[in-house]
Amino acid sequence: MTTITRYESGPRMSQAVVHGDTIYLAGQVGPTGETVAEQTASALAEVDRLLALTGSDKSRLLSATIWLADVNDFAEMNSVWDQWVDKTNPPARATGEAKLAAPKYKVEIIITAAKA
């Protein structure tokens, strides 16, 4: 039987769940009131922290789903993403526009990764 381990769990969700050698992260957002670039950088810093907590890193990304409140912010988000992503091991990725949980959020990043 494969073990499921949950990290930073609350009554509604966990920030990370590990099932076997696969890591699933909850959607990460940056602090409100910041630009798309700043929110992206903050969200990716949290991705780095959670991956380290679960025994992985960005070189082990399997997939990324990125939601933007406004698809016109695609280039601004990518300016940060392109500096952060492991260019040797980029994940499968999808980006779309969606109404996020609150208007103050401009970007949300959801990651699936493999354990190191």
Side-chain angles (χ1 to χ4, degrees):
M1 184 159 96
T2 304
T3 302
I4 298 173
T5 306
R6 301 173 197 285
Y7 293 82
E8 299 181 9
S9 297
R12 180 171 290 145
M13 60 186 258
S14 298
Q15 287 299 311
V17 176
V18 177
H19 177 250
D21 288 333
T22 305
I23 301 164
Y24 303 90
L25 300 186
Q28 300 302 311
V29 296
T32 60
E34 293 189 345
T35 67
V36 170
E38 291 167 332
Q39 284 192 12
T40 301
S42 295
L44 292 173
E46 188 63 6
V47 166
D48 282 332
R49 184 187 76 76
L50 289 168
L51 289 174
L53 179 67
T54 57
S56 192
D57 61 59
K58 65 185 174 186
S59 73
R60 308 283 294 163
L61 298 184
L62 300 173
S63 69
T65 303
I66 302 172
W67 293 111
L68 296 168
D70 184 345
V71 77
N72 291 315
D73 294 329
F74 187 71
E76 184 178 350
M77 178 276 300
N78 270 331
S79 70
V80 177
W81 175 271
D82 290 345
Q83 294 300 310
W84 175 83
V85 73
D86 183 328
K87 289 169 186 48
T88 306
N89 301 293
R93 189 186 107 171
T95 304
E97 181 180 80
K99 187 173 183 177
L100 300 179
K104 55 192 173 185
Y105 296 118
K106 298 172 179 151
V107 62
E108 182 171 3
I109 301 171
I110 305 161
I111 297 291
T112 303
K115 288 193 81 165

